[in-house]
Amino acid sequence: MIELLTSPEAWAALLTLTALEIVLGIDNVIFLSVIVSRIPQPQARRARQIGLALALVFRILLLSLLVWLIGLTQAVLTVRGIALSWRDMVLIGGGLFLIGKATHEIHTEVEGHDEPGDAARNASAFFWVIVQIIVIDMVFSLDSIITAIGMAQDLEIMIAAVVIACLIMYVSSGPVAKFVAEHPTTKMLALAFLVLIGVALVADGFKFHIPRGYIYFAIVFSALVEVFNVLAKRNRKKAAN
């Protein structure tokens, strides 16, 4: 441990891996922000805390099972000449789940069927939010750890990077979720991002890799345009008053 603390290479690996984990966690933060926006604020905060705690647990657990994790990349099924591993099937299933969930939410927003429910319905909604968070946490954790696993040799560095990234995700998830809840147009944009991410996961599962740089550039560019729209709308309201 002392050797790691005094090694420049270890610190460089930690910084690089932490940055990568933060970028890979963007998908998770977007999903959390959208999914908790449909439940009351106190429950939404609790759901975010549970979701990010589960994300941290899944990532550390997967890091502790490196030999088993590497085995998940071995082909177990061939479909039309494409060899699929367990990881590929998890990515395909998770991507389809994201596409289906985001499409359902977009349909609900467009049709305007968002009706307030009683306490029992809110409790049921909270339960299903947690279930969905667990499902998508498993997908994002698996993809994140396998993607980052070749960047560091020491388990301690990997765990430290994951913990730091999850703490940053926790700090940023609150403001992001609040912004999404307060601005309906940003929620629709976030749902569109989830469809895009779902398509990328399915494509990865079928061995057609879409460079993540393109996806993140599209997300950042669209988000900046939406920020300008929100600012313009706010300034128009001030001018009208």
Side-chain angles (χ1 to χ4, degrees), residues 88-241:
D88 297 328
M89 287 186 275
V90 168
L91 292 181
I92 293 169
L96 292 175
F97 173 81
L98 267 185
I99 294 170
K101 177 61 182 174
T103 303
H104 173 73
E105 291 289 333
I106 290 172
H107 175 75
T108 301
E109 291 291 322
V110 172
E111 295 296 326
H113 292 326
D114 190 17
E115 299 178 359
D118 55 17
R121 189 177 299 175
N122 286 337
S124 175
F126 179 77
F127 171 76
W128 285 111
V129 163
I130 296 301
V131 170
Q132 293 172 67
I133 287 173
I134 290 173
V135 171
I136 212 62
D137 268 345
M138 291 175 66
V139 176
F140 285 149
S141 295
L142 185 65
D143 191 33
S144 170
I145 295 304
I146 288 180
T147 302
I149 210 167
M151 296 193 61
Q153 301 295 325
D154 300 288
L155 183 60
E156 294 87 349
I157 292 176
M158 295 183 190
I159 292 177
V162 165
V163 171
I164 294 170
C166 283
L167 288 174
I168 293 174
M169 284 166 57
Y170 177 77
V171 171
S172 63
S173 66
V176 171
K178 182 180 178 182
F179 188 81
V180 168
E182 290 177 352
H183 301 88
T185 55
T186 60
K187 183 175 181 180
M188 191 65 72
L189 185 62
L191 289 169
F193 290 160
L194 290 180
V195 174
L196 181 63
I197 293 166
V199 170
L201 288 176
V202 173
D204 274 352
F206 283 111
K207 311 297 184 184
F208 182 80
H209 180 65
I210 301 174
R212 286 295 189 268
Y214 295 157
I215 295 173
Y216 293 136
F217 174 79
I219 289 176
V220 171
F221 180 79
S222 302
L224 286 175
V225 172
E226 184 61 25
V227 166
F228 290 138
N229 281 332
V230 170
L231 290 175
K233 184 178 179 181
R234 185 181 300 170
N235 289 335
R236 283 196 297 269
K237 278 186 178 180
K238 286 182 181 179
N241 295 332

Side-chain angles (χ1 to χ4, degrees), residues 72-89 92 202 204-207:
L72 291 182
T73 60
Q74 314 256 329
V76 294
L77 179 69
T78 302
V79 178
R80 295 183 176 274
I82 301 175
L84 300 178
S85 64
W86 284 113
R87 171 184 179 266
D88 297 328
M89 287 186 275
I92 293 169
V202 173
D204 274 352
F206 283 111
K207 311 297 184 184

Side-chain angles (χ1 to χ4, degrees), residues 9-23:
E9 292 82 3
W11 282 103
L14 175 63
L15 291 174
T16 304
L17 189 54
T18 301
L20 179 60
E21 286 294 318
I22 292 170
V23 171

